[in-house]
Amino acid sequence: MVNTAEGEISREIFVNDELFEQEKERIFTRAWLYVGHESQIKKPGDFFVSKMGAESVILTRDFAGKIHVFLNSCAHRGMRVCRYDEGNTRAFRCPYHAWTYKTDGTLIGVQDYDNAYQPPFDKSEWGLVEVAQLANYMGTIWATWDKNAPSFEEYLGEATIAFDQGLCAWDGGDGGTELLGSVQKWIVPCNWKFVAENFAGDWLHGVSHRSVDMIRLGPSGEVGRRDDFGRLVVTAYPDGHGILYSVYPNKKTRTEYAMSPETSEYFQYCWERRLKNLGETAGTCPLVGTIFPNMSFHAQQPRTLLVSHPTGANETEMWRTYFVDKEAPEDVKQFLREYYMRYSGPAGMTEQDDMENWNYASAASRGTIARRRPYHYKAGLGVGGPHDDLPGVVTEQPITTEQNPRFFYKRWADYMDMDSWGELLDARTVSSQG
Ligand code: FES
Ligand code: FE
């Protein structure tokens, strides 16, 4: 079904319910998945209800300060233990029969325990199900259900360089970022992989955004939807991650944001500091990327993070969070909030362009005749290779390429085919051909 050598991929993997069930087992119980951000659970007892694949999980901080991720399903008879989106609690009390769990997951309260259970059962064996591994990477919280998965750092592999830049402050320093508000959530009738491959580096679809360019959606007030793109470079990794970079050789100044002089000034200040902080690499800026399987990020402006949670072969829950530099002035944060909202999310016009494509492509691919034909991913076949400045397999403008989706689907097929992490790690040794 996935022929990356020829650049042809069966439509079945986007529409077939049986394959979707297999994906849940083979990908979403094994891969590292993004769960939330540390700043969402600052205090003991704070919780944020998230998802891993199609399943609800609770991200929480216990009263010793430790971070946990639990399956949001009661050990008694499966009720959703926490039905709120986020908040603070001393304990999680199940609404069904009132079993009560501490924020570290241990079962502490069972109704009529002394009378009803003869002999008494061991409560320590009936706590909430906890993930096998958890990682806090620069404030982002990741988890996997698989104890044999490699460390998160190894999983991220060579995509680290781009992801680090997406998470550090705009000046390349460690001032840190914070969330604007909480999470925007909405549903798109499409397969989750349309979303993941798009942000892995599908630069050919820029034509879809022509209208937002024409109405000057971007912060500069000029034609275009964002600061200038520079020269586009894509890098793909055998782990399935894909990053699209903007390269600005010798750039000294940032674009003026006519609608907000404070923002222009702030980004100019950041850019000058970035040149100092990052030296020669300052001009190589990650723009968007996907960390396999379903976490995508925009690393510049807008700076956001999107998880495409699969809920069915033809339905995806989109969860998007928005980031700004902690140290940015309030005026700048407010200006960016408005720009982000008109760019991304359910009301964002650029996001709407993309969603229209995924929605209609999904619907038009489900028919009996439609399924007979594979999708076409042949752009830039065999062109990509090693690069002096960037890791992974690299293709640069002016050559257009679909190498990043090809790497993404190659990895998808690895997970679907291979039973052990040993095999999955060995399979990363691939040819340098894009
Ligand atoms: Fe939770 Fe019964 S299902 S207490
Ligand atoms: Fe797009």
Side-chain angles (χ1 to χ4, degrees):
M1 289 186 184
V2 175
N3 182 348
T4 47
E6 296 291 330
E8 292 186 12
I9 295 174
S10 166
R11 296 184 187 207
E12 286 301 319
I13 77 164
F14 299 90
V15 299
N16 185 304
D17 294 326
E18 229 169 90
L19 283 173
F20 175 64
E21 290 305 313
Q22 287 179 34
E23 278 181 336
K24 285 198 286 189
E25 175 67 39
R26 301 194 65 87
I27 296 175
F28 290 94
T29 67
R30 300 201 289 169
W32 279 93
L33 304 171
Y34 175 81
V35 181
H37 194 266
E38 190 182 39
S39 65
Q40 292 171 296
I41 45 155
K42 285 192 194 117
K43 299 189 300 295
D46 280 356
F47 65 86
F48 169 69
V49 170
S50 185
K51 297 188 83 175
M52 289 175 68
E55 291 180 86
S56 177
V57 295
I58 307 169
L59 166 65
T60 188
R61 187 185 291 274
D62 71 20
F63 283 83
K66 191 169 174 223
I67 295 174
H68 301 267
V69 176
F70 302 113
L71 187 69
N72 190 6
S73 177
C74 183
H76 182 221
R77 284 235 273 295
M79 176 65 187
R80 196 177 168 113
V81 176
C82 182
R83 291 182 302 157
Y84 299 95
D85 290 338
E86 54 197 296
N88 183 278
T89 188
R90 292 212 58 82
F92 295 103
R93 184 167 167 211
C94 179
Y96 201 171
H97 315 92
W99 280 28
T100 303
Y101 304 87
K102 282 204 315 195
T103 49
D104 66 3
T106 48
L107 177 64
I108 45 167
V110 173
Q111 218 189 137
D112 208 16
Y113 180 76
D114 293 335
N115 295 323
Y117 301 99
Q118 298 302 336
F121 70 90
D122 182 358
K123 280 190 253 173
S124 70
E125 288 175 5
W126 292 86
L128 294 172
V129 175
E130 186 156 14
V131 293
Q133 298 187 60
L134 183 145
N136 180 346
Y137 190 81
M138 294 173 76
T140 58
I141 310 294
W142 299 75
T144 171
W145 297 111
D146 191 340
K147 65 178 185 343
N148 297 317
S151 70
F152 178 70
E153 283 75 9
E154 187 178 353
Y155 181 87
L156 197 53
E158 291 173 314
T160 307
I161 296 168
F163 193 49
D164 286 1
Q165 280 200 38
L167 294 174
C168 68
W170 273 303
D171 64 5
D174 49 17
T177 54
E178 64 184 18
L179 260 70
L180 274 176
S182 189
V183 186
Q184 282 194 316
K185 304 172 186 173
W186 70 103
I187 289 170
V188 189
C190 75
N191 187 276
W192 65 274
K193 295 188 289 300
F194 274 107
V195 188
E197 73 151 70
N198 181 89
F199 293 111
D202 179 57
W203 89 48
L204 277 78
H205 84 274
V207 63
S208 295
H209 298 306
R210 188 158 152 69
S211 56
V212 292
D213 289 337
M214 287 165 68
I215 62 157
R216 300 165 188 240
L217 185 90
S220 67
E222 303 295 325
V223 170
R225 75 197 90 119
R226 62 163 91 214
D227 200 355
D228 84 90
F229 278 105
R231 184 164 52 86
L232 297 176
V233 177
V234 289
T235 67
Y237 309 98
D239 317 78
H241 320 312
I243 310 288
L244 171 60
Y245 282 88
S246 282
V247 179
Y248 307 101
N250 310 317
K251 191 176 171 89
K252 294 282 182 295
T253 56
R254 295 298 285 184
T255 310
E256 286 291 310
Y257 292 165
M259 287 179 280
S260 170
E262 308 79 35
T263 311
S264 291
E265 208 177 294
Y266 180 68
F267 282 121
Q268 181 60 35
Y269 159 81
C270 287
W271 188 255
E272 284 161 17
R273 285 171 55 106
R274 184 182 166 90
L275 294 172
K276 284 204 193 91
N277 283 336
L278 301 183
E280 279 179 4
T281 60
T284 305
C285 305
L287 190 63
V288 293
T290 289
I291 305 300
F292 188 91
N294 66 334
M295 198 290 280
S296 302
F297 63 99
H298 279 92
Q300 297 190 52
Q301 305 124 43
R303 172 171 281 196
T304 71
L305 198 153
L306 169 74
V307 190
S308 44
H309 294 296
T311 50
N314 296 298
E315 190 181 270
T316 298
E317 257 184 48
M318 309 270 278
W319 289 28
R320 198 179 269 289
T321 28
Y322 302 81
F323 291 89
V324 284
D325 280 0
K326 270 188 204 152
E327 291 166 359
E330 275 313 308
D331 286 355
V332 172
K333 289 181 186 173
Q334 180 61 16
F335 174 75
L336 290 171
R337 192 179 73 81
E338 288 167 13
Y339 170 49
Y340 291 178
M341 293 299 116
R342 66 176 186 269
Y343 193 103
S344 292
M349 295 179 73
T350 315
E351 190 112 85
Q352 288 178 30
D353 293 338
D354 291 326
M355 292 191 290
E356 287 287 282
N357 291 323
W358 307 330
N359 173 357
Y360 284 93
S362 292
S365 298
R366 288 205 280 275
T368 311
I369 302 297
R371 288 183 186 208
R372 291 180 188 167
R373 199 144 209 223
Y375 287 159
H376 187 284
Y377 289 90
K378 294 176 192 279
L381 251 186
V383 173
H387 189 272
D388 288 344
D389 303 327
L390 289 166
V393 176
V394 181
T395 303
E396 300 183 68
Q397 266 184 332
I399 295 168
T400 51
T401 184
E402 285 161 333
Q403 73 163 34
N404 286 18
R406 284 195 294 273
F407 270 78
F408 176 86
Y409 290 112
K410 166 72 173 62
R411 196 56 171 160
W412 180 91
D414 290 347
Y415 274 83
M416 296 298 270
D417 285 342
M418 295 171 183
D419 293 328
S420 73
W421 266 103
E423 285 172 279
L424 278 167
L425 293 177
D426 288 348
R428 296 186 301 180
T429 316
V430 292
S431 78
S432 64
Q433 285 224 321

